[in-house]
């Protein structure tokens, strides 16, 4: 797919000086201060800039960033394509992670929707908005599976399951890149962080990882393999080391696996400053060493630390690095520049898109992402009842958008208070309209039949470099829950969170729990749709909810310890913690609806199959009848797990292999089919 222009690229490379080649491997940072513009133009004119990252700090997800500025981007591009010797356009990248102007749910929430088509559609919207602002390339999707909700970056990924990770990879890449990367509403995607970053020890960001090959191939690789299969243009290497080898300098990971086994043809980009970090990690003696190790490992574009631009020329001239290695990296970068049509269309312009439709899609995905974790006959609420709203997230807007929002606007995001006022008016709706009074219990609760508590965590407690040691709800929120619980009122807890939080001692004091996540621009409207029965909840957890931090890591797809043999989550009260039961508070794949579903008998068309038949393409066909036995039409996520009982290595007790999400009308029974083939059953 990316090799189409190779002969043109080869002749272009022949014309390039060594300096110009190394310039293509250099990504500089922006947005750019006025005072820097002339120097940058000079560098561009001299062919020293291959790419600009449109972010001004390395942790762009949590720091305020400058605004996109298409006029400036076009002006700088003009210098590249009109004033540089070989007129090679630059590629502009920005962290458009889960939305651009319109913000969609954080990826961990989207994963809970188990709806690939909808995710793809939403990421199409995101690409459209970003492309209309002159962005060519996004550093997304983030595909880091994670077992540790203390890690702030768990919000950015697909959760704990490799199959869900692969589905997210496919949906996001197809959404971003569209039918043709050259289309004006497509942008190049970047599968990151390759690889194993989610295993950072103790959930502490950037920490070391220890990943054996069996885990690497069976657990961490599948999402990236799927991204490559879906045609992802670029891959970002991760900051972490794996067993003492930083990925940025690992030929095994960047070349042997990514290029050799996965057949990736696009270019790799380092994470911010990760090339010079090799020295800090203790595997390089100098910046020159860093450049040599990374380039020879297969790292093509150097994000921001200037190691390549400052060191590679001497390395080549001294014979320490071959010019051929430089050429290979240049070629891969040019492949993507050609594939996205930069040579034909270097300038970009704003174009109109259907903002209303994007908001609608954002609301749909938010609705499908939210998970009803508990409901003791309280929800949906009757709009005529007397409802109080309180809690620290009553008036919150920014956190609802989540971390990694560079261009979405807080002031265009309704708070829960505003959304509920819209639905209920102010009659029989008790809430102080001023954020200072979010826990003015005396004012609120005496009149109410039901109290809605807006709880959660700030977006600033999540994202890059924002690990926590304790996943409990803050003490003040737990105290507030205790206070309201003591009144005997019905309580609905709405949780605006980026990670699964410890619900023990919390959920048991609430009558209903809606996990709303940080679900983007339409979070509060979607919550209202669910609270008041306009929508029926249909999300399920894509990550395990441990009872407490001390139970981390806790994930469903664990192998059997053999002691005992068959426990889901491998828990055995007899030989686990002395002080607590490490069963999940909510397991992976869990979520309630307003309606009820009855599962029939699971049937396999063929109860056994020969390996040779499987290899020859025959599948195992599985089906099940599912009836909607409740009072609402509803969508149900039907999850198909397998267990490979005897294999050459231990396999998980449960492994998700496929899922379907049909809408089943009330009273209706439908037949759901699955088909498992050789690849699904292999390891
Ligand atoms: C560092 C982060 O790890 C990465 O995800 C992001 O894309 C880059 N910074 C660029 O902002």
């Amino acid at each position: 797919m990316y090799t189409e222009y190779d002969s043109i690229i080869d002749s272009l490379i022949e014309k390039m000086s060594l300096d110009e080649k190394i310039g293509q491997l250099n990504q500089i940072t922006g947005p750019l201060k006025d005072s820097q513009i002339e120097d940058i133009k000079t560098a561009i004119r001299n062919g020293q800039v291959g790419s600009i990252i449109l972010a001004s700090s390395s942790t762009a997800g949590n720091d305020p960033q400058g605004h996109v500025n298409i006029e400036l981007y076009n002006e700088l591009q003009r210098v590249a394509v009109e004033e540089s010797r070989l007129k090679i356009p630059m590629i502009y990248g920005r962290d458009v992670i889960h939305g651009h102007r319109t913000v969609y749910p954080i990826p961990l929430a989207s994963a809970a929707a188990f709806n690939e088509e909808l995710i793809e559609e939403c990421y199409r919207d995101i690409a459209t908005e970003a492309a209309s602002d002159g962005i060519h390339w996004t550093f997304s999707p983030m595909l880091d599976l994670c077992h540790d909700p203390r890690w702030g970056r768990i919000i950015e990924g697909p959760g704990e399951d490799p199959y869900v990770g692969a589905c997210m990879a496919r949906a996001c890449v197809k959404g971003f890149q569209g039918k043709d990367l050259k289309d004006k509403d497509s942008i190049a995607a970047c599968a990151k962080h390759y690889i194993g970053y989610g295993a950072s020890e103790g959930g502490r960001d950037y920490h070391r990882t220890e990943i054996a090959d069996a885990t690497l191939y069976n657990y961490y690789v599948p999402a990236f393999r799927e991204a490559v299969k879906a045609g992802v243009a670029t891959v970002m290497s991760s900051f972490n080391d794996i067993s003492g080898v930083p990925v940025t300098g690992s030929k095994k990971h960047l070349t042997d696996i990514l290029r050799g086994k996965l057949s990736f043809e696009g270019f790799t980009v380092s994470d911010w400053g990760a090339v010079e970090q090799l020295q800090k990690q203790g595997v390089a003696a100098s910046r020159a060493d860093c450049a040599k190790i990374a380039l020879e490992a297969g790292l093509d574009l150097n994000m921001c630390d200037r190691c390549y631009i400052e060191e590679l020329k001497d390395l080549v001239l001294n014979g320490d690095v071959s010019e051929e290695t430089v050429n290979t990296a240049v070629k891969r970068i040019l492949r993507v520049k050609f594939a996205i049509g930069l040579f034909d269309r270097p300038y970009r312009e704003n174009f109109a898109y259907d903002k209303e439709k994007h908001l609608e899609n954002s609301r749909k995905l938010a609705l499908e992402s939210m998970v009803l974790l508990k409901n003791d006959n309280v929800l949906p609420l009757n709009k005529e009842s007397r409802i109080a709203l309180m809690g620290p997230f009553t008036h919150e807007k920014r956190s609802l958008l989540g971390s990694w929002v560079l261009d979405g606007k807080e002031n265009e995001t309704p708070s829960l208070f505003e959304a509920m006022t819209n639905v209920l008016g102010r009659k029989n709706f008790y809430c102080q309209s001023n954020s200072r009074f979010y826990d003015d219990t005396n004012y609120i609760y005496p009149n109410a039949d039901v109290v809605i508590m807006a709880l959660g965590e700030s977006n600033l407690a999540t994202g890059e470099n924002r690990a926590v040691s304790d996943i409990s709800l803050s003490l003040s929120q737990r105290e507030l829950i205790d206070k309201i619980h003591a009144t005997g009122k019905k309580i609905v807890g709405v949780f605006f969170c980026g990670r699964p939080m410890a619900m023990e001692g919390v959920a048991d004091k609430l009558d209903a729990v809606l996990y709303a996540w940080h679900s983007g621009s339409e979070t509060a409207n979607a919550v209202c749709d669910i609270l008041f029965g306009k929508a029926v909840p249909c999300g399920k957890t894509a990550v395990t909810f441990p009872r407490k931090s001390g139970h981390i890591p806790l994930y469903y797809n664990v192998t059997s310890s053999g002691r005992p043999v068959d426990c889901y989550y491998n828990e055995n009260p007899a030989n686990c913690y002395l002080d607590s039961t490490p069963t999940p508070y909510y397991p992976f794949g869990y979520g309630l609806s307003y309606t009820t579903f009855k599962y029939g008998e699971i049937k396999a068309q063929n109860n056994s199959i020969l390996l040779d038949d499987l290899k020859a393409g025959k599948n195992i066909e599985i089906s099940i009848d599912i009836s909607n036995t409740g009072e609402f039409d509803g969508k149900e996520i039907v999850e198909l797990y397998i267990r490979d009982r005897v294999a050459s290595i231990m396999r998980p007790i449960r492994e998700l292999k496929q899922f379907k999400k049909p809408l089943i009308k009330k009273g209706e029974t439908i037949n759901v089919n699955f088909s498992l083939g050789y690849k699904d059953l292999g390891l």
Side-chain angles (χ1 to χ4, degrees):
M1 167 178 187
Y2 290 99
T3 52
E4 196 184 331
Y5 299 93
D6 275 6
S7 54
I8 307 178
I9 293 171
D10 287 339
S11 34
L12 183 55
I13 291 177
E14 267 172 35
K15 291 188 204 125
M16 293 169 86
S17 68
L18 181 57
D19 284 318
E20 285 165 334
K21 290 174 186 174
I22 294 169
Q24 283 304 305
L25 314 186
N26 184 34
Q27 182 182 59
I28 64 164
T29 168
L32 315 150
K33 297 199 189 87
D34 287 351
S35 57
Q36 301 170 313
I37 300 284
E38 280 318 309
D39 287 346
I40 285 167
K41 281 188 174 175
T42 307
I44 297 170
R45 204 172 285 122
N46 294 337
Q48 288 171 357
V49 183
S51 172
I52 303 182
I53 177 171
L54 307 172
S56 49
S57 70
S58 65
T59 50
N62 285 322
D63 313 331
Q65 298 295 315
H67 295 299
V68 278
N69 182 346
I70 196 167
E71 286 80 25
L72 175 61
Y73 307 156
N74 280 336
E75 168 54 14
L76 297 177
Q77 193 71 294
R78 189 194 60 73
V79 178
V81 299
E82 290 180 20
E83 297 180 13
S84 76
R85 191 176 75 90
L86 291 172
K87 312 194 180 331
I88 302 175
M90 296 176 295
I91 179 167
Y92 296 137
R94 186 167 175 87
D95 288 291
V96 180
I97 305 297
H98 55 102
H100 183 59
R101 304 281 178 165
T102 310
V103 184
Y104 296 73
I106 54 165
L108 183 62
S110 296
F114 287 86
N115 188 336
E116 220 182 300
E117 294 75 29
L118 181 57
I119 293 170
E120 182 179 334
E121 196 177 333
C122 290
Y123 279 75
R124 277 277 59 234
D125 298 348
I126 298 172
T128 305
E129 294 190 4
S132 159
D133 269 339
I135 295 162
H136 307 139
W137 171 36
T138 173
F139 305 115
S140 174
M142 192 270 216
L143 301 173
D144 294 308
L145 299 191
C146 178
H147 290 164
D148 198 328
R150 292 172 298 183
W151 193 44
R153 303 199 78 170
I154 195 171
I155 73 138
E156 296 172 51
E160 69 192 32
D161 183 74
Y163 179 72
V164 174
C167 295
M168 285 286 283
R170 189 166 50 224
C172 296
V173 171
K174 282 164 75 180
F176 281 134
Q177 300 195 166
K179 284 204 185 65
D180 188 336
L181 264 169
K182 290 194 183 65
D183 290 343
K184 73 168 187 189
D185 58 358
S186 290
I187 59 174
C190 178
K192 75 182 188 189
H193 306 83
Y194 179 84
I195 192 168
Y197 184 25
S200 289
E201 217 167 60
R204 301 193 289 281
D205 213 354
Y206 317 125
H207 265 244
R208 68 187 304 275
T209 74
E210 202 56 75
I211 304 173
D213 275 359
T215 311
L216 185 76
Y217 286 118
N218 288 303
Y219 191 72
Y220 292 103
V221 164
F224 287 93
R225 183 178 54 216
E226 203 56 40
V228 173
K229 264 171 73 184
V232 74
T234 71
V235 169
M236 185 187 291
S237 65
S238 54
F239 284 126
N240 57 288
D241 70 282
I242 299 184
S243 312
V245 181
V247 179
T248 314
S250 170
K251 181 173 167 296
K252 166 179 167 177
H253 297 94
L254 293 178
T255 299
D256 302 347
I257 300 178
L258 185 62
R259 307 270 172 197
K261 289 188 190 294
L262 306 190
S263 307
F264 173 62
E265 293 170 345
F267 73 77
T268 54
V269 56
S270 73
D271 205 337
W272 187 299
V275 176
E276 71 176 3
Q277 182 181 304
L278 291 171
Q279 192 175 358
K280 298 172 193 153
Q281 286 172 304
V283 294
S286 61
R287 283 168 62 80
D289 244 10
C290 295
K292 177 178 159 67
I293 292 172
L295 188 76
E296 290 185 341
L299 202 285
D300 304 319
L301 184 67
N302 179 193
M303 186 187 282
C304 296
D305 62 33
R306 299 185 56 81
C307 272
Y308 281 8
I309 195 92
E310 287 168 11
E311 307 295 340
L312 278 182
K313 187 172 183 185
D314 283 349
L315 286 167
V316 174
L317 295 179
N318 296 338
D320 289 328
V321 167
S322 80
E323 188 155 354
E324 213 28 58
T325 313
V326 174
N327 291 352
T328 304
V330 174
K331 183 170 181 170
R332 292 166 179 161
I333 291 167
L334 293 179
R335 277 177 178 172
V336 173
K337 290 188 176 180
F338 272 99
I340 66 175
L342 272 179
F343 284 84
D344 298 331
R345 199 167 56 85
Y347 303 115
R348 300 288 151 113
E349 54 194 36
N350 291 130
F351 55 87
Y353 52 82
D354 190 346
K355 174 86 180 164
E356 280 310 305
K357 187 191 131 242
H358 293 187
L359 279 171
E360 240 173 65
N361 278 342
S362 167
R363 186 159 173 169
K364 268 196 217 161
L365 186 55
L367 278 171
E368 295 219 4
S369 302
M370 293 179 184
V371 187
L372 182 64
L373 291 173
K374 180 175 181 186
N375 188 15
D376 286 349
N377 298 320
V378 213
L379 295 177
L381 295 170
N382 183 337
K383 280 193 213 162
E384 305 310 314
S385 45
R386 293 171 302 178
I387 297 169
L389 170 65
M390 64 168 68
F393 288 78
T394 298
H395 298 282
E396 178 63 17
K397 289 168 178 269
R398 177 61 191 88
S399 291
L400 274 42
L401 296 175
S403 183
W404 285 108
V405 170
L406 277 59
D407 298 281
K409 295 212 168 54
E410 176 179 343
N411 57 9
E412 292 171 3
T413 310
S415 65
L416 188 56
F417 169 76
E418 288 166 350
M420 282 182 62
T421 307
N422 250 341
V423 176
L424 300 172
R426 291 310 310 270
K427 192 170 158 265
N428 289 341
F429 170 40
Y430 309 104
C431 182
Q432 291 280 29
S433 51
N434 187 317
S435 59
R436 283 183 301 125
F437 294 108
Y438 71 79
D439 68 348
D440 186 351
T441 40
N442 290 330
Y443 169 76
I444 294 167
Y445 70 77
N447 305 314
D449 303 319
V450 55
V451 180
I452 295 175
M453 300 193 71
L455 307 161
E457 60 180 343
S458 155
N459 62 297
L460 289 174
T462 72
E464 187 175 352
N465 215 356
R466 298 288 158 108
V468 295
S469 64
D470 186 358
I471 57 165
S472 305
L473 204 60
S474 68
L475 181 62
S476 59
Q477 294 187 75
R478 281 181 281 142
E479 285 173 351
L480 189 61
I481 292 173
D482 287 344
K483 219 149 113 187
I484 307 303
H485 179 61
T487 67
K489 299 270 177 206
K490 293 257 180 226
I491 313 176
V492 177
V494 179
F495 288 80
F496 300 101
C497 302
R499 55 164 67 79
M501 303 204 77
M503 299 301 258
E504 194 166 62
V506 171
D508 32 292
K509 296 181 185 136
L510 306 171
D511 298 277
V513 175
L514 178 65
Y515 219 73
W517 310 102
H518 295 153
S519 283
S521 307
E522 291 291 298
T523 307
N525 287 331
V527 167
C528 287
D529 290 346
I530 292 178
L531 292 181
F532 299 106
K534 196 169 159 198
V536 173
C538 61
K540 293 196 181 183
T541 53
V543 66
T544 298
F545 280 58
R547 287 173 188 273
K548 51 168 76 180
S549 306
H551 293 169
I552 297 169
L554 190 69
Y555 49 98
Y556 92 94
N557 37 6
V558 69
T559 52
S560 168
S561 70
R563 290 169 176 262
V565 180
D566 269 342
C567 292
Y568 183 34
Y569 278 90
N570 213 0
E571 80 270 354
N572 178 9
N575 59 13
C576 253
Y577 302 113
L578 295 174
D579 58 350
S580 58
T581 315
T583 49
Y585 203 86
Y586 298 112
F588 173 87
Y590 178 81
L592 305 171
S593 171
Y594 288 159
T595 191
T596 45
F597 298 102
K598 187 164 161 282
Y599 279 57
E601 197 191 328
I602 184 163
K603 292 185 188 139
Q605 209 182 54
N606 34 354
N607 276 326
S608 66
I609 190 163
L610 292 173
L611 185 58
D612 282 345
D613 288 346
L614 264 178
K615 279 188 183 160
K618 202 169 159 200
N619 278 14
I620 300 185
E621 310 295 339
I622 293 157
S623 71
I624 187 162
D625 281 345
I626 300 188
S627 312
N628 182 338
T629 49
E631 294 306 314
F632 297 82
D633 297 346
K635 284 188 174 181
E636 168 70 344
I637 300 163
V638 187
E639 303 151 40
L640 178 74
Y641 295 87
I642 65 156
R643 174 162 182 196
D644 188 351
R645 290 195 168 269
V646 183
S648 50
I649 55 169
M650 289 158 65
R651 302 298 301 140
I653 296 166
R654 288 192 196 183
E655 240 183 296
L656 183 68
K657 280 297 157 185
Q658 280 172 21
F659 57 79
K660 298 264 165 77
K661 192 174 189 181
L663 170 70
I664 313 178
K665 297 243 160 74
K666 117 179 169 193
E668 191 183 41
T669 296
I670 64 156
N671 187 253
V672 181
N673 297 299
F674 299 96
S675 183
L676 293 180
Y678 181 67
K679 287 238 163 86
D680 303 308
L681 299 173
L683 59 95

